[in-house]
Amino acid sequence: MDDMRGRITKEGIRIYEDADFAGMREAGRIAALILDDVGPLVQPGVTTAEIDDFIRDEVARRGAASATIGYKGYQHASCISVNHVVCHGIPGAKKLADGDIANIDVTVVVKGWFGDTSRMYVAGTAPIKAQRLIEVTHEGLMRGIAAVKPGNTFGDIGHAIQSFVEANRMSVVRDFCGHGLGRVFHAPPNVLHYGRAGTGAVLEEGMFFTIEPMVNLGRPETKVLADDWTAVTRDKSLSAQYEHSIGVTAVGCEIFTLSPGGKFFKP
């Protein structure tokens, strides 16, 4: 980390320089392109392992590296979380069924910069409640992003998400959060998706981090399965997640992982 530029805040958050935005922009673009391209593969009868194989090949084809292969022993190019799986679902041999919803999470490394993003997909036709969950989750993410500008706080982000989600009678997961990134996969700050407005560290131009709310149709509690990765809802309710990597600018923020094809919200 000695070659990193920029200063560190008292909360341990790195402040990057203007020139660093270009690196994050390219890493985010490639991650988003891969999620654009994988969409047509998410169909009933397809296994999550087949989807992961496609992603692995796409990462290599685009000249990037997978940040997840080898990370703490993980051996896949994506996390694929289906139905009541909240996050960190491991690709495997189980086939998607009609109406299944799935979050696909991809992180790539491009010239040392990390691009991290996830979005929701539907195999076949989603039930109405599942579609509504997806819509609320995406809108919650975008409301959190709208709160990002210098002088606001991380509590403002969490409050924007939580207040909207709970007004729609859904719940925000507390056990997982967004994170700082840049030339590292995970770094301060922890970006909570709930909280009180005006609390937490103050946002400054040059901060890079993810916002990635997980929203449950039922209660917010989760548990991690015996594989030490897969997190599920305790009440077996459906869960959804969207994630963007962003950088704080002088007047707001730049979203590094916007879909080049405009497909981010289309499940």
Side-chain angles (χ1 to χ4, degrees):
M1 294 178 61
D2 291 340
D3 63 341
M4 291 185 182
R5 297 168 292 175
R7 64 181 177 85
I8 305 290
T9 70
K10 60 184 176 61
E11 295 89 3
I13 305 169
R14 182 169 294 278
I15 305 297
Y16 287 90
E17 298 181 348
D18 289 347
D20 298 328
F21 277 73
M24 289 297 290
R25 199 173 290 131
E26 180 61 10
R29 185 184 71 85
I30 289 177
L33 277 170
I34 291 168
L35 289 189
D36 276 6
D37 292 345
V38 79
L41 192 59
V42 182
Q43 300 289 342
V46 176
T47 69
T48 53
E50 289 171 327
I51 295 171
D52 185 70
D53 287 343
F54 173 87
I55 291 169
R56 184 188 301 253
D57 290 345
E58 281 295 291
V59 171
R61 186 177 72 85
R62 294 187 178 277
S66 170
T68 54
I69 296 174
Y71 179 77
K72 296 184 177 180
Y74 196 76
Q75 293 301 317
H76 303 275
S78 63
C79 293
I80 303 178
S81 303
V82 180
N83 293 335
H84 72 289
V85 178
V86 175
C87 60
H88 303 157
I90 301 174
K94 187 174 181 179
K95 294 180 179 179
L96 294 173
D98 183 58
D100 280 350
I101 64 172
N103 175 271
I104 302 180
D105 191 338
V106 171
T107 308
V108 299
V109 189
V110 180
K111 297 178 182 177
W113 296 99
F114 285 72
D116 188 1
T117 186
S118 79
R119 66 180 85 151
M120 294 300 297
Y121 300 83
V122 176
T125 303
I128 293 174
K129 285 186 177 180
Q131 183 62 43
R132 181 62 181 154
L133 171 66
I134 290 171
E135 292 170 354
V136 168
T137 305
H138 181 264
E139 179 63 19
L141 167 66
M142 300 313 292
R143 288 184 181 226
I145 290 173
V148 177
K149 63 179 180 180
N152 278 4
T153 69
F154 282 96
D156 293 330
I157 299 172
H159 175 74
I161 296 168
Q162 180 184 9
S163 60
F164 175 75
V165 168
E166 293 181 354
N168 282 276
R169 299 184 179 182
M170 300 177 193
S171 62
V172 176
V173 170
R174 268 69 164 173
D175 298 333
F176 301 93
C177 61
H179 54 89
L181 80 171
R183 285 194 173 275
V184 292
F185 195 171
H186 296 100
N190 289 333
V191 183
L192 305 182
H193 305 115
Y194 60 95
R196 291 188 296 116
T199 64
V202 175
L203 297 165
E204 296 185 43
E205 183 179 0
M207 289 180 173
F208 295 162
F209 52 86
T210 70
I211 304 177
E212 47 184 295
M214 288 142 272
V215 176
N216 298 343
L217 269 181
R219 293 186 54 82
E221 292 82 9
T222 71
K223 64 178 179 180
V224 177
L225 302 184
D227 59 27
D228 289 330
W229 285 103
T230 308
V232 300
T233 55
R234 282 192 174 273
D235 62 5
K236 302 296 184 183
S237 63
L238 290 177
S239 187
Q241 180 187 19
Y242 277 93
E243 175 182 15
H244 269 317
S245 296
I246 68 170
V248 183
T249 67
V251 295
C253 70
E254 178 178 350
I255 304 174
F256 298 126
T257 45
L258 281 174
S259 163
K263 301 178 181 179
F264 189 84
F265 179 48
K266 293 182 180 180

